[in-house]
DNA sequence: TCGACGATGACCT
DNA sequence: GGTCATCGTCGAA
């Protein structure tokens, strides 16, 4: 069963980032279906410096983070990478979870084609820009609601997993907030960065 | 308008 | 380990 958009509105980013580990991220774009198990996430919220909406800053780009949870926040990084986030929390509160890595499970052949790879290996879908490319996610889909048939999340199917915590990647500018344990990874998975 | 700078990844040594 | 591609966003001018 997929998690309905309103589910995300009830969660903080730190809660959701952990809950999403082990869930499945699905995309059905151009009539083709791809999906993977979420193995790595990061939490962001407006009270810490790593967040684009730090201090409640509303700009054209960050406005979607203040929407009610259940929509996608997809933005372009380094001029070429499309990074996918799940907006959560209630309307008016900026919180989101960055999906950083997945383990491919459905449509791996198409993922290989989209990524121009020959072989299924870690760098096919481990990395926030890599998984977006593998699933066909681009900024065109920014702000869409997270429900079938475009992009949605299926609940975790295994009953027990272990989650590790560590500091987030690539946010040195966030000063002391860069040390917060807001990165979550599926223990023993090879599909993490 | 303009310039600085990224929630990165590919490729090279 | 290191280099660099590439462009939207944001704040300063």
């Amino acid at each position: 069963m997929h998690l309905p958009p309103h589910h995300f509105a009830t969660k903080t980013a730190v809660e959701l980032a952990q809950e999403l580990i082990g869930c499945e991220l699905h995309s059905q774009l151009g009539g083709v279906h791809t999906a993977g198990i979420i193995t790595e996430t990061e939490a962001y919220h407006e009270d810490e410096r790593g967040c684009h909406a730090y201090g409640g800053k509303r700009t054209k780009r960050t406005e979607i983070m203040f929407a009610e949870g259940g929509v996608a926040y997809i933005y372009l990084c380094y001029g070429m990478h499309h990074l996918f986030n799940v907006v959560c929390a209630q309307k008016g509160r900026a919180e989101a979870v960055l999906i950083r890595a997945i383990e491919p499970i459905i449509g791996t052949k198409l993922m290989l084609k989209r990524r121009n790879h020959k072989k299924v290996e870690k760098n096919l879908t481990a990395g926030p820009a890599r998984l977006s490319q593998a699933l066909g996610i681009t900024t065109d889909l920014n702000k869409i609601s997270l429900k079938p048939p475009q992009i949605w999340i299926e609940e975790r199917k295994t009953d027990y997993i272990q989650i590790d915590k560590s500091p987030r990647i690539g946010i040195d500018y966030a000063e002391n907030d860069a040390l917060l344990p807001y990165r979550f990874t599926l223990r023993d998975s090879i599909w993490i960065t």
Side-chain angles (χ1 to χ4, degrees):
Chain A
M1 193 56 200
H2 80 275
L3 298 171
H6 61 79
H7 175 82
F8 304 106
T10 67
K11 304 287 179 178
T12 67
V14 172
E15 290 168 347
L16 185 66
Q18 293 169 84
E19 183 184 328
L20 290 183
I21 298 294
C23 293
E24 298 175 358
L25 176 60
H26 289 249
S27 76
Q28 191 164 9
L29 303 165
V32 290
H33 186 188
T34 47
I37 297 169
I38 297 170
T39 55
E40 178 176 344
T41 60
E42 286 180 358
Y44 291 85
H45 62 73
E46 64 181 79
D47 297 327
E48 49 83 15
R49 292 180 144 79
C51 182
H52 292 153
Y54 171 61
K57 186 175 70 174
R58 288 176 185 257
T59 66
K60 192 168 183 184
R61 181 176 64 154
T62 66
E63 191 62 33
I64 191 61
M65 292 187 77
F66 293 88
E68 181 172 324
V71 295
Y73 169 39
I74 304 162
Y75 72 96
L76 193 64
C77 185
Y78 294 103
M80 60 189 99
H81 303 302
H82 303 259
L83 270 54
F84 173 75
N85 299 254
V86 177
V87 174
C88 57
Q90 73 272 26
K91 185 174 168 60
R93 170 79 189 169
E95 304 218 9
V97 175
L98 171 68
I99 310 299
R100 288 190 54 86
I102 61 172
E103 172 183 346
I105 49 171
I106 295 173
T108 54
K109 196 172 169 183
L110 179 59
M111 293 187 198
L112 288 167
K113 187 178 173 187
R114 283 173 172 154
R115 297 266 303 126
N116 195 25
H117 277 222
K118 293 264 185 280
K119 198 177 156 196
V120 177
E121 53 194 348
K122 175 176 160 177
N123 67 1
L124 181 65
T125 55
R130 290 170 177 154
L131 79 87
S132 293
Q133 189 178 31
L135 295 181
I137 295 172
T138 68
T139 54
D140 294 348
L141 299 164
N142 191 25
K143 306 185 183 184
I144 65 166
S145 185
L146 295 174
K147 58 177 193 269
Q150 287 185 290
I151 303 176
W152 70 97
I153 294 172
E154 298 275 343
E155 62 190 1
R156 191 185 295 159
K157 292 188 167 59
T158 52
D159 46 1
Y160 181 72
I161 60 167
Q162 290 185 93
I163 297 172
D164 294 312
K165 304 180 187 186
S166 56
R168 293 170 293 179
I169 306 295
I171 54 161
D172 294 344
Y173 58 84
E175 303 170 32
N176 52 318
D177 289 333
L179 301 175
L180 290 168
Y182 279 5
R183 173 172 176 258
F184 303 96
T185 50
L186 179 61
R187 185 168 300 173
D188 297 328
S189 175
I190 64 160
W191 299 93
I192 61 176
T193 58

